Amino acid sequence: MYKTLLATLENGIFTITINRPDKLNALNKDVLAELNLALDEMGTNPAIQSAIITGSGQKAFVAGADISEFNDYAATEGKKLANAGQDTFFKIENSRKPIIACVNGFALGGGCELAMSCHIRIASANAKFGQPEVNLGLIPGYGGTQRLVQHIGKGRALEMMLSGNMVDAATAYQYGLVNHVVEPEALLPTAIALLQTINSKAPLAVAACIEAANAAHNPALNGYEVELDAFSRCFATADKQEGVEAFLGKRKAMFRGG
Ligand code: COA
């Protein structure tokens, strides 16, 4: 069905693999468009509980936006491109179902931005992160200037953006950019194990955690009010009743997503 992605669904986990290994999985227009379709599928298919985004091959997660599309672009086209990228990555960030980036190699430019828009990042030991747009006379345009500051702080973010230097997986872990660093063969199993745990929780509570955490970095919202609202909504769910009764009855909760 997809031309630039591989998509599989197993045990509620939707694995989206960006599949242009000969171009280090660079994000061209087709990939962005298909990522949008895959995210729509994720939103509407009740069998999908959570997702993994990764890259094809051993070398790259995503080595950035496809630079070959930039040559003829002036300001108007550049803005249109960044708008499309920002919208796609907002869709990932605001997904009600959790998404883990499995960073299996280079995560540069739009690749680092893609990983940062996911809810959790797990890196293989050979992963490298960077925002090298400055080498092209550009800056990150898919939300990277904002999310990198949120994730690792302004000083470190500016060092990466101004120098274009890459950081290795160990440094990314030390910066707090990734949650875990594992050997390449453990990358997908680690993400799957974590998602199996998350998938066993109440889906509406999972969605509410994402919504409230995202509000922390949205200047248009009062995060504490978003939290209050989400907390009280959870109290009205059957899954809250099930969770509390199961705890009090010393049995395992069986959540149904209502
Ligand atoms: N856009 C388009 N094509 C890209 C790309 C990108 N962002 N990144 C890599 N590719 C292509 C290369 O052009 C090459 O294609 P070719 O075989 O048809 O010539 C192929 O992927 C392999 O890349 P190559 O540069 O030969 O691999 P390498 O191991 O020597 O270097 C990188 C790896 C990641 C250091 C290097 O590819 C690179 O710097 N890429 C650009 C990173 C970047 O600036 N990203 C931000 C974009 S805004």
Side-chain angles (χ1 to χ4, degrees), residues 221-244:
L221 295 173
N222 177 332
Y224 291 96
E225 279 175 12
V226 172
E227 180 185 279
L228 273 180
D229 182 53
F231 185 75
S232 69
R233 268 189 280 124
C234 287
F235 266 82
T237 64
D239 277 349
K240 168 259 162 189
Q241 210 53 34
E242 165 64 8
V244 171

Side-chain angles (χ1 to χ4, degrees), residues 100-237:
I100 295 184
C102 280
V103 182
N104 56 309
F106 289 114
L108 303 177
C112 189
E113 293 173 294
L114 171 62
M116 288 192 292
S117 70
C118 295
H119 302 116
I120 292 169
R121 282 150 294 289
I122 303 177
S124 59
N126 65 323
K128 288 204 161 46
F129 295 80
Q131 295 291 166
E133 290 86 348
V134 73
N135 296 331
L136 305 169
L138 290 169
I139 70 167
Y142 294 174
T145 62
Q146 305 305 295
R147 290 196 183 95
L148 196 59
V149 171
Q150 287 164 18
H151 284 296
I152 68 174
K154 187 175 167 189
R156 286 165 169 168
L158 276 176
E159 182 174 337
M160 284 178 70
M161 288 191 274
L162 299 179
S163 67
N165 288 343
M166 295 182 212
V167 298
D168 62 15
T171 306
Y173 179 73
Q174 188 207 330
Y175 281 4
L177 186 55
V178 300
N179 296 51
H180 306 280
V181 179
V182 298
E183 289 308 312
E185 59 278 10
L187 188 58
L188 287 175
T190 304
I192 289 167
L194 180 54
L195 286 176
Q196 279 169 341
T197 299
I198 296 171
N199 288 353
S200 73
K201 313 300 177 191
L204 292 176
V206 166
C209 286
I210 294 172
E211 181 190 355
N214 283 347
H217 294 295
N218 185 338
L221 295 173
N222 177 332
Y224 291 96
E225 279 175 12
V226 172
E227 180 185 279
L228 273 180
D229 182 53
F231 185 75
S232 69
R233 268 189 280 124
C234 287
F235 266 82
T237 64

Side-chain angles (χ1 to χ4, degrees), residues 22-157:
D22 51 327
K23 297 291 176 190
L24 304 188
N25 304 319
L27 300 176
N28 63 10
K29 278 192 193 126
D30 293 343
V31 177
L32 271 188
E34 291 200 332
L35 258 181
N36 269 288
L37 292 178
L39 293 164
D40 291 344
E41 183 179 347
M42 191 180 166
T44 53
N45 183 346
I48 299 176
Q49 290 175 277
S50 57
I52 289 170
I53 298 182
T54 192
S56 189
Q58 304 298 316
K59 200 168 163 181
F61 172 68
V62 166
D66 192 319
I67 301 168
S68 68
E69 290 181 343
F70 289 4
N71 212 13
D72 304 326
Y73 280 10
T76 312
E77 293 83 1
K79 189 163 186 187
K80 220 169 133 188
L81 181 75
N83 254 322
Q86 285 197 4
D87 284 351
T88 307
F89 292 0
F90 277 133
K91 216 172 189 177
I92 292 172
E93 189 170 55
N94 292 319
S95 162
R96 295 173 55 77
K97 300 175 182 178
I99 304 178
I100 295 184
C102 280
V103 182
N104 56 309
F106 289 114
L108 303 177
C112 189
E113 293 173 294
L114 171 62
M116 288 192 292
S117 70
C118 295
H119 302 116
I120 292 169
R121 282 150 294 289
I122 303 177
S124 59
N126 65 323
K128 288 204 161 46
F129 295 80
Q131 295 291 166
E133 290 86 348
V134 73
N135 296 331
L136 305 169
L138 290 169
I139 70 167
Y142 294 174
T145 62
Q146 305 305 295
R147 290 196 183 95
L148 196 59
V149 171
Q150 287 164 18
H151 284 296
I152 68 174
K154 187 175 167 189
R156 286 165 169 168

